[in-house]
Amino acid sequence: MSRRSTLSNRRWRAGGILGVLSAMAAPLASAMPLNMTRGVTEFSREVHDLHMIIFWICCIIGVLVFGVMFYALIRHRKSKGAKPADFHESTKVEIVWTLIPFAILIGMAIPATQALVNSDDDGSKPADLTVQVTGSQWKWHYKYLGTDVEYYSLLATPRDQIAGKLNKGDNYLLEVDRPLVLPTDRNVRFVITSEDVIHSWWVPAFAVKKDANPGFINQVQTRIDEPGIYRGQCAELCGKDHGFMPVVVIAKAPNEFDAWLEGEQQKVALAKAEEEKLLAMNMGFDELMAEGEKVYQTYCAACHQPNGEGLPGVFPGLKGSAIALGEVNAHIDIVVNGKAGTAMQAFGKQLTLAQQAAVITYERNAWGNDTGDAVQPSDIHNFLNGAQ
């Protein structure tokens, strides 16, 4: 057999090995649960394709480098009498192993740069819906601009699961009380900001990840192709409850979304009407305490603890505190407006008048505080309007 024929056969064998490896790796790459998914937006698929291109380039480099290395180890081992080649300070070798990585990096940079450019939304595309997303100590606030619909989205995983007292659910730490609802087949723009520290709103299925910076507004746009439930997470280390700030999006068909949005607007109008009625009447003490305990466990217990004793040196306790036992309006003020420079946030926009009245009543009468004060929704209303 001639030398040329031998070399040709070796090339065919090498090509065959690479082909087999590629064929084996393809289903593995798509089936691996740790691999990126393609998502449900055009841009997420572009990001996935870029990821797979880089993945295959790395695989090919790995196969070639380790193939050459193991071939040299076996073919030119000392026991066969091989002597090391001496190509020290070879200009040709230096040029080759500089140019090859350079060419690889350029080849990877071109699609990566294109994806990066495509990810930047300059606001020039018309949006069918704009949602304001605001990060706020460890929850998300969603506001559908142009409507009255807005609400907070909080972690819904029970505290007993977090404390290890209950078995963890399938969506542990990835479930919320009110998901963001979006339409499919429409351009949706997010304007993203923060009320306190830097958060980052991230939904992998959309390939959307945007920082929420206090004092700034970032924007990004997406168009969802498929209805479904999509989960994400805050991707910024934003504080002690960073891991408790999930994102859940429900994507509905356009007609279903329109019906949902109309229903939510009717609920908002009804809630406002009910609140107006509530201002003219008083809630019973037991009713205030029951509702107040529910609100406290949902919004306050993470910092002040369920027993009202807080975390010494970190979060003040409410049991026997000057706030809970002191002047009522000062207590209302700190619940409604928060306290600047501390982790105490403002709940004035987040809770209804009845919820604020109830939680203040609860804090003033739970854990042995026993002030006997029953704060009514009208007290909160009067405080907000400067009547007290």
Side-chain angles (χ1 to χ4, degrees):
M1 185 179 291
S2 69
R3 180 177 176 78
R4 177 174 294 181
S5 176
T6 302
L7 287 173
S8 177
N9 288 337
R10 288 175 179 173
R11 289 190 189 117
W12 276 108
R13 282 200 296 271
I17 292 171
L18 284 175
V20 171
L21 289 175
S22 299
M24 292 172 60
L28 287 175
S30 59
M32 282 189 300
L34 297 181
N35 194 17
M36 283 181 63
T37 57
R38 283 181 64 79
V40 291
T41 66
E42 181 180 349
F43 181 62
S44 70
R45 289 189 287 272
E46 183 178 347
V47 170
H48 180 269
D49 292 343
L50 172 63
H51 159 72
M52 294 310 298
I53 289 173
I54 304 299
F55 173 78
W56 288 123
I57 290 175
C58 292
C59 286
I60 292 170
I61 292 173
V63 169
L64 289 176
V65 170
F66 283 98
V68 171
M69 185 182 75
F70 283 115
Y71 174 81
L73 287 173
I74 296 170
R75 182 81 175 181
H76 303 291
R77 62 186 185 274
K78 186 177 179 180
S79 60
K80 293 187 70 172
K83 294 183 179 179
D86 184 7
F87 47 82
H88 245 301
E89 301 177 1
S90 169
T91 303
K92 290 182 180 178
V93 172
E94 295 282 353
I95 291 174
V96 168
W97 70 31
T98 300
L99 288 180
I100 291 177
F102 180 76
I104 293 172
L105 288 175
I106 293 296
M108 295 165 73
I110 291 173
T113 303
Q114 185 60 53
L116 191 63
V117 170
N118 293 342
S119 72
D120 184 39
D121 175 25
D122 59 2
S124 58
K125 300 176 188 173
D128 301 307
L129 172 70
T130 301
V131 179
Q132 179 179 312
V133 179
T134 305
S136 173
Q137 269 183 16
W138 300 289
K139 53 187 167 291
W140 297 103
H141 178 246
Y142 299 122
K143 183 174 184 179
Y144 294 77
L145 299 186
T147 76
D148 293 329
V149 179
E150 58 180 303
Y151 55 85
Y152 284 83
S153 180
L154 283 78
L155 175 73
T157 298
R159 286 283 160 184
D160 284 345
Q161 283 190 19
I162 297 172
K165 297 176 183 176
L166 292 175
N167 293 330
K168 294 178 172 55
D170 292 338
N171 296 309
Y172 177 69
L173 295 185
L174 290 175
E175 50 207 340
V176 298
D177 57 348
R178 295 199 66 181
L180 174 66
V181 180
L182 296 176
T184 59
D185 303 322
R186 288 181 182 171
N187 294 334
V188 179
R189 174 169 296 148
F190 303 105
V191 288
I192 301 176
T193 187
S194 169
E195 288 183 343
D196 39 54
V197 298
I198 300 176
H199 303 276
S200 189
W201 197 81
W202 177 44
V203 179
F206 304 162
V208 169
K209 179 178 176 293
K210 208 70 169 178
D211 283 352
N213 300 316
F216 295 88
I217 292 179
N218 287 324
Q219 65 175 350
V220 65
Q221 190 157 303
T222 193
R223 187 183 180 93
I224 308 166
D225 293 338
E226 301 173 17
I229 299 176
Y230 306 106
R231 301 180 189 277
Q233 179 63 279
C234 175
E236 192 72 45
L237 292 174
C238 56
K240 79 174 186 63
D241 279 356
H242 158 73
F244 300 162
M245 200 170 172
V247 176
V248 180
V249 178
I250 295 179
K252 294 176 177 286
N255 58 336
E256 294 179 4
F257 172 79
D258 290 341
W260 173 85
L261 188 60
E262 185 179 349
E264 289 299 308
Q265 293 189 84
Q266 291 174 356
K267 288 180 184 176
V268 171
L270 184 62
K272 286 183 178 178
E274 290 294 325
E275 202 157 80
E276 287 294 326
K277 291 180 185 176
L278 200 58
L279 293 178
M281 56 187 289
N282 288 335
M283 297 173 67
F285 184 80
D286 291 340
E287 184 183 5
L288 284 167
M289 287 294 287
E291 176 67 14
E293 182 177 11
K294 192 189 311 176
V295 175
Y296 181 86
Q297 296 299 336
T298 303
Y299 297 95
C300 313
C303 295
H304 296 295
Q305 302 299 291
N307 57 10
E309 295 180 354
L311 291 172
V314 183
F315 298 110
L318 296 175
K319 181 180 179 181
S321 72
I323 286 292
L325 299 179
E327 203 263 331
V328 173
N329 273 359
H331 196 166
I332 295 175
D333 183 28
I334 200 167
V335 170
V336 171
N337 298 315
K339 187 173 182 180
T342 73
M344 181 61 198
Q345 58 186 293
F347 286 95
K349 295 180 182 177
Q350 185 176 348
L351 302 178
T352 65
L353 297 182
Q355 287 177 316
Q356 293 174 69
V359 77
I360 292 171
T361 299
Y362 179 75
E363 291 172 354
R364 298 182 73 81
N365 293 281
W367 321 298
N369 286 343
D370 299 333
T371 64
D373 294 331
V375 180
Q376 297 295 333
S378 58
D379 296 326
I380 309 297
H381 177 77
N382 292 336
F383 177 84
L384 292 172
N385 289 279
Q388 290 186 7

